[in-house]
Each structure stands twice: as C-alpha cells, then as structure tokens.
Amino acid sequence: MLLPPPPTLSEHIPSGAPVRLLEDAKASKERFYNNSTIQEKPRDKDDDGLLPVLPPDITRNAFNNAIAELTKSLGEPNVVLTDKPLVDGWYLEHPNTHDAFHVHSREDTISSATVYPGSTEEVQTIVKWANKHLIPIYPISMGRNLGYGGAAPRVRGSIVMDLGKRMNKILKIDGDNCSCLLEPGVTYFALYEAVQKSGYPLWIDTTDVGGGSVLGNALDRGVGYTPYGDHFGNHCGMEVVLPTGDIVRLGMGALPGKDNTDNPTWQSFQYGYGPYSDGIFTQSNYGIVTKMGFWLMPATEHLTFAITFAREDDFERIIDIIRPLSAQRVLGNVPQIRHVTQELAVTGIRKKDIYAGDGPVPEQVIREHMKATIYGDVTWIFYATVYGPKDSRNTSIDVVRKAFSVIPDAKFIFPDDVPPDHYLHARVAIASGVPMLTDLDWLHWKSNGSHLAFSPISPVDGKDARKLYEMVQKRHGEFGFDMMPAFCIAPREMHFIDIICYDRGDEDEKRRAIKCIRAMIADAAKEGYGEYRTHILLSDQVAATYNWNNAALMRLNETLKDALDPNGILAPGKAGIWPKRFREKGWEILGDDDRTWTVPGKI
Ligand code: ADP
C-alpha cells in the first residue's frame, strides 16, 4: 500500500514524529494500515436524518445559530462540524472526533463539532458560549489517551475543545530551576527536542509512546519510567479556566510577580498559600488547564537491564524481592515486570501467525515462539534501571544480583548483550526520558489492534500480585483474550496494567472486551482493589467502587461540580461525575449494564 509519509514534528505540526524517529514512524504507519480491515461506512444520521449529531436537549435550529455565533468569534477554520466520515487513522494521525479505539459503535461517543482555541482568552470565550447555549464541551490536549477513550466525549454530541492544535507553545525552559512551563499541545516528543536544543543537561519523563500531551497525561495522572515518573507529582503550578469562564492561577502563580510578571517561584514551590487545589483539576471536570509547570530531572548516568524468569511459580517471590529494592531506591525509577505474551507481541508477531484457535494462545505456544528470541523460554521479564555514576551503579547492580540470587534461573541481560534493534534498547531510552514509538508494536497482535486497560492499584506484595493475576487470567480465559499484564512498581504500590488487546473491527469481540473488563472491575473491588484510571465508558462503574461511607467521595465530588459548574457544561460524566442537569436521567452506566450506546434509551 502506498501511504503518504507520517507527519513530522514542526512548528506547524506539533503532534508529528521527530525526524530521529521518522523511519520508525513510517514502518509503524505501514503496519497499522496493513493490519486494518475496517471499511469506511456511511455515517449514522441523527434522529432528524441530519449530521452532525446534536448535543442533548437542543434543537437543530438553536444548535446551528449557536455554531454560527461561535464561528464569528473564533474564525471559520477554528470551528469544524463532525459531519464527515469518521476515520480511525493511526497513532500519529488520530481523530479528534471520536474514540479511535471504539468499544461501542464508532458512532456512539462522538462530537458534534471540534473547536480550536488559540489562547486562554479564546478558551474563556468558548466556555461562556457553552454556558449561554447549555452545550457540553469536552477538553482534550492531544486526544491520544488511547485505551481510556482517546479524544471521545462521554456525552454524545458534545463539542470537543482541541487545545493542542493551536496552544502548543513551550513557554519556558528554565535550566537553573530545572523546570518548564507548557501549553496543552506540547507532546513528549516536542518537549524532548526542545530540551535537547536548549543544551541544558536535563531529562524529561515520558510515557511508553511519546506522542501524548505532557499536560494531558499529568491531568489523567499517567506515569513514566524515570525517577520523575509520577507526572502529576512532578508538576508545579497551573493556570485553569473554570466552567463559569473565570481564570485562576494555582500555587505561587496566584501571587503576581513584580510589575505584574509571572511569579518567579511559580515553577519552584507547588503549594502556594491556602488550600491546595491542583488535585481537583485532575481526573475531573472542574476546569480547563491552559498552562502547567513541570520539573525536569537533572541528567545523570544510568543503566537499564532486563532480568528474565523461567518459572511461573517464582512470581510471588520476584515481587517480594523487588519491594525493598524499590523502597530503598536501589532501583531509582518505576521498574516494571511484564508477562511474556506482551514481550512476544512487541516483536511484531501477530496472533494469527502462531495460533489458529479462537481463545487465548496456549502458554506452550507462546513459550515455543519465545525460544527463538534472545530472552528464550521465559514467563516474566523485569525491566529496571540504576542511576548515578559508574561506581554507585555497580554497587546497586551487586545489591540487585544478590537479592535475585535466591531464584536460580534469574538471568540478567544488559543492553550490550542484545542487537541494536532489540526491544531492551527502547526500555533504555524510555528509562532516561527519550520518547519512542516502539510500544505501538504489540497492538498488531490483533487485526485492527486496539486496547482497553484494566489498571488496579495493588500493594507491592507477592500474594496480592498473584491474586490479581489469577483473577485476570480467569476472566481473560472466560472471554477469550490473551493475557498481557505488566506491574509498574513504585515503592509502596504497584500499578497493575492489564491490557485487553481486541479487534475493533469485530463487534462480538468488542462486546466481550467490555464485558471482560467490567467483570474484572467488579472482581477486584470485592477484594478491595481499585483502578487508578479508567476508560470514559467505565468511569461510572469505577467511581461507584470508591463508595466508603455511603459514597461520601461522590457526594463531595458532586457538591464541587454543582458549585463550580452550575450549568453542567464541562465534560459531563467524566470520572463518573455528572452535573445536576444530567444526574439520574439514565446516563450513568454501572457494572451490570451491558448497553451498547451511551445515550439513554438508544439501542
Ligand atoms: P494525551 O493525548 O496526553 O493522552 P488527552 O488530551 O487525551 O491526553 O487528555 C487526557 C485526559 O485529560 C482526557 O480525559 C481529557 O479530557 C483531559 N484533559 C486533557 N487536556 C485537558 C485540559 N487542558 N484541561 C482539562 N482536562 C484535560
């Protein structure tokens, strides 16, 4: 297939791939298109036979008038109706109209239009317009939150506010303070290139794939793999447009600097004075963040390595060995232990090439194929990094070797042991803040490969890890999905990231995927495990599991929502928080609800 080249990162295309990864991007794009079988379909029209689909409770006439008014304020190119065919694209050319990894009908969680503000003032204009017309708006930065809903609004027909396209400036890189100030459209790729260009010896922290928004990921409380892997924990200062249109600066930014400049300590001290409000703007629908500060890590030396384990039975012991190494910061980053199926998938192997059956690939088949790889016949692979000068790294490696010496077949593999195109080198890059594309490769396990992530928090304890693993194994078996779990280990908890890789071209598979994840959320909650983050379609169910004291947390969340957003215009339903106007009208989707449309009453 002859495909146009992928977009390259530039001032005009801030969401593109950096030149250093252009060949990887080309190969990745080709794989995505070769692995796609989805045909374009005519759009489903709204009830009146027209497009775009309307937001709830508004006539077409009123909507058209409201859009004309907004177009006059923002300019024609900055208000685009969602009335064309929906295209899923691929990672670097993704849609901002719907979820590229749809789990319901592709037509379900879609927008009526996308708007592109160019400044904080234009964000205010849009918010005030939404209040006037009672039209819900859904802010995204890059909209690459794949596996959690992508760019899709929770309420069908909302206006997607795409901040990334025009608000993508790196406002400041401060080499002395080791910090930066960013707009929503700055990707890990863009920040990395800018820091390199600045010449400061600083690292960024990146997610597995580098095209996401630094700000958007921190707002969803995403994680990376350097010692600065807690993205929200390493932010410092925010500017937020509230749902009524007011603008607030948080932390030291609330105190004007001399001559009304930005406060010089805005990116130095997180708390400022008074209640610390930053957290309420994460995983919420209380405000639109237009600027956010982040700390950058002073560059250091590092060594990333893999340890492979042959015997499944050693799993609990492995986790228990990692706990003190992580707590004592011998392992200075967020190390992760991955199941072998994901490891095989990241080599680009497709399920259909190795197994013709319907259900999960039998373990013997996976292991047989692993034999041909450098890691060999193993069940778990642990990726970790030690930081600092050579002497201290060597000391740390000795401590790690000693700790794992009780597991006889634990095998250490260092970057020099593998060829340059081996996946271990991608882990080396990511553990030192160099954003990559490599982790897109495991998506090709399935045709039209897409994923949902089930992400509970676990204590760093072998018994808990085993319990969660078996819970997931049972449900994956029941619903016919391969196991692709990874545990990302912080000193006191683990993010258990279980991937359901599904074919979004197969309606039955999509139904099974969502049933599988709903069952796992319920199973986990019964045992006291809760998700750290979830897909927009699952947020009501997950929010309902955080129900201590008769759901006191949701009562607090709703009190805040009603106070901050009295007209309920901002991202209704996000994180399970519904404004009064929508509450208990059939929008909530709880665990036992297997509807395939989000709109109440639509079947
Ligand atoms: P990324 O592309 O980095 O994965 P997204 O743009 O998809 O991030 O955003 C992740 C989540 O954070 C989405 O649920 C989105 O609604 C929310 N979000 C993103 N940017 C903002 C913002 N500037 N203000 C408020 N919420 C935001």
Side-chain angles (χ1 to χ4, degrees):
M1 194 188 299
L2 196 60
L3 294 167
T8 318
L9 183 65
S10 70
E11 224 174 286
H12 306 293
I13 312 179
S15 69
V19 172
R20 73 183 165 89
L21 291 180
L22 207 51
E23 289 310 310
D24 293 4
K26 274 187 202 154
S28 184
K29 179 171 181 175
E30 212 160 286
R31 255 178 259 140
F32 269 98
Y33 281 90
N34 287 340
N35 209 21
S36 168
T37 61
I38 297 180
Q39 305 296 325
E40 268 188 27
K41 276 199 332 197
R43 293 286 314 277
D44 286 2
K45 304 281 193 300
D46 212 352
D47 294 343
D48 61 358
L50 297 172
L51 284 174
V53 299
L54 294 173
D57 306 327
I58 188 165
T59 64
R60 187 157 302 271
N61 211 10
F63 177 79
N64 288 345
N65 289 339
I67 288 287
E69 185 187 316
L70 189 63
T71 308
K72 213 165 152 198
S73 306
L74 299 183
E76 194 119 353
N78 299 318
V79 181
V80 178
L81 292 178
T82 309
D83 54 2
K84 326 238 167 2
L86 299 174
V87 179
D88 295 342
W90 74 292
Y91 183 73
L92 284 177
E93 291 161 284
H94 64 297
N96 59 9
T97 45
H98 67 286
D99 185 359
F101 288 175
H102 33 93
V103 204
H104 281 179
S105 158
R106 176 159 53 183
E107 294 277 348
D108 184 24
T109 47
I110 55 169
S111 61
S112 53
T114 305
V115 295
Y116 299 101
S119 63
T120 301
E121 291 68 34
E122 286 194 353
V123 173
Q124 284 182 291
T125 303
I126 298 164
V127 164
K128 286 181 184 158
W129 169 88
N131 275 285
K132 179 173 163 196
H133 298 283
L134 294 184
I135 294 180
I137 48 178
Y138 190 85
I140 58 168
S141 286
M142 293 310 300
R144 285 191 177 130
N145 205 15
L146 297 171
Y148 295 107
R154 174 65 174 80
V155 168
R156 192 166 189 253
S158 298
I159 302 280
V160 165
M161 183 193 283
D162 182 335
L163 292 128
K165 187 174 172 202
R166 296 175 66 212
M167 296 175 69
N168 49 46
K169 285 189 283 305
I170 296 172
L171 299 166
K172 191 172 181 181
I173 296 177
D174 184 331
D176 298 325
N177 197 49
C178 306
S179 63
C180 61
L181 182 66
L182 309 178
E183 288 191 331
V186 179
T187 63
Y188 297 105
F189 287 141
L191 183 59
Y192 174 77
E193 297 297 317
V195 171
Q196 293 303 299
K197 210 165 143 198
S198 76
Y200 294 123
L202 293 172
W203 281 4
I204 71 160
D205 185 280
T206 178
T207 46
D208 288 297
V209 186
S213 153
V214 178
L215 182 154
N217 183 272
L219 293 183
D220 217 28
R221 300 202 291 263
V223 291
Y225 300 92
T226 75
Y228 283 31
D230 171 0
H231 291 167
F232 177 68
N234 285 289
H235 96 282
C236 194
M238 284 186 184
E239 178 185 88
V240 187
V241 174
L242 298 176
T244 48
D246 205 2
I247 315 178
V248 58
R249 284 191 172 183
L250 303 176
M252 294 306 293
L255 193 153
K258 192 162 181 273
D259 300 328
N260 230 10
T261 52
D262 289 357
N263 192 290
T265 56
W266 195 15
Q267 273 66 66
S268 310
F269 181 58
Q270 289 171 313
Y271 306 124
Y273 178 76
Y276 179 62
S277 316
D278 298 40
I280 68 165
F281 297 103
T282 67
Q283 290 191 5
S284 77
N285 44 18
Y286 299 154
I288 300 165
V289 180
T290 46
K291 293 185 181 68
M292 198 159 166
F294 291 91
W295 290 336
L296 299 168
M297 181 173 148
T300 180
E301 293 171 38
H302 65 107
L303 176 65
T304 297
F305 53 95
I307 312 178
T308 60
F309 302 95
R311 282 164 26 96
E312 160 60 27
D313 288 354
D314 286 325
F315 180 55
E316 278 112 308
R317 274 209 296 173
I318 299 167
I319 298 290
D320 291 338
I321 291 169
I322 296 170
R323 181 179 51 233
L325 295 176
S326 181
Q328 292 157 12
R329 293 279 183 201
V330 175
L331 302 171
N333 67 340
V334 180
Q336 61 165 310
I337 179 159
R338 286 189 175 211
H339 189 260
V340 64
T341 309
Q342 194 175 16
E343 201 63 41
L344 189 62
V346 89
T347 64
I349 276 192
R350 295 173 307 173
K351 175 174 183 167
K352 63 183 175 200
D353 294 337
I354 60 168
Y355 185 63
D358 278 340
V361 181
E363 198 183 316
Q364 306 86 288
V365 178
I366 300 279
R367 296 185 70 145
E368 204 49 48
H369 281 85
M370 277 306 285
K371 276 185 193 160
T373 71
I374 287 176
Y375 289 161
D377 179 6
V378 296
T379 56
W380 291 98
I381 297 105
F382 179 52
Y383 289 106
T385 307
V386 290
Y387 294 89
K390 194 166 181 193
D391 284 354
S392 77
R393 288 199 317 268
N394 285 344
T395 310
S396 300
I397 289 281
D398 286 345
V399 174
V400 178
R401 273 192 198 281
K402 190 156 174 252
F404 281 107
S405 63
V406 294
I407 299 185
D409 48 20
K411 194 170 153 208
F412 282 67
I413 296 164
F414 293 94
D416 287 347
D417 301 336
V418 299
D421 61 349
H422 191 274
Y423 178 64
L424 177 53
H425 293 289
R427 298 293 354 147
V428 173
I430 292 163
S432 55
V434 182
M436 303 293 285
L437 282 168
T438 325
D439 263 86
L440 291 175
D441 289 349
W442 53 257
L443 276 169
H444 305 299
W445 185 247
K446 286 289 185 77
S447 301
N448 311 303
S450 309
H451 70 93
L452 270 171
F454 166 62
S455 320
I457 295 291
S458 164
V460 193
D461 186 304
K463 287 191 288 307
D464 289 285
R466 171 64 75 191
K467 201 195 290 183
L468 274 166
Y469 177 69
E470 286 179 354
M471 203 181 268
V472 162
Q473 195 174 34
K474 178 169 158 260
R475 293 300 190 181
H476 276 239
E478 181 183 340
F479 292 100
F481 294 103
D482 292 293
M483 292 281 292
M484 291 198 187
F487 290 85
C488 299
I489 304 162
R492 292 170 187 82
E493 58 79 27
M494 300 188 288
H495 284 37
F496 176 37
I497 314 286
D498 170 53
I499 301 292
I500 301 178
C501 185
Y502 64 95
D503 174 353
R504 71 177 184 286
D506 179 334
E507 293 303 320
D508 175 61
E509 197 157 313
K510 292 205 292 191
R511 264 191 294 278
R512 279 187 285 118
I514 199 143
K515 279 190 169 171
C516 180
I517 196 163
R518 286 202 183 284
M520 294 194 292
I521 293 167
D523 292 345
K526 263 190 225 139
E527 297 292 328
Y529 304 111
E531 282 64 52
Y532 92 98
R533 181 182 186 187
T534 200
H535 191 281
I536 50 161
L537 292 177
L538 304 164
S539 48
D540 295 313
Q541 186 187 0
V542 169
T545 63
Y546 284 76
N547 59 6
W548 184 81
N549 188 19
N550 193 22
L553 177 61
M554 186 48 81
R555 280 183 275 126
L556 170 63
N557 290 342
E558 288 178 349
T559 304
L560 288 172
K561 182 66 180 167
D562 293 341
L564 292 171
D565 185 9
N567 291 324
I569 53 101
L570 188 60
K574 186 164 162 61
I577 305 166
W578 291 96
K580 210 181 249 163
R581 180 154 79 92
F582 286 82
R583 223 172 278 155
E584 288 166 20
K585 299 222 167 82
W587 287 94
E588 296 89 348
I589 311 178
L590 293 167
D592 50 1
D593 189 336
D594 59 1
R595 70 172 89 171
T596 50
W597 288 91
T598 50
V599 178
K602 186 171 166 65
I603 35 173

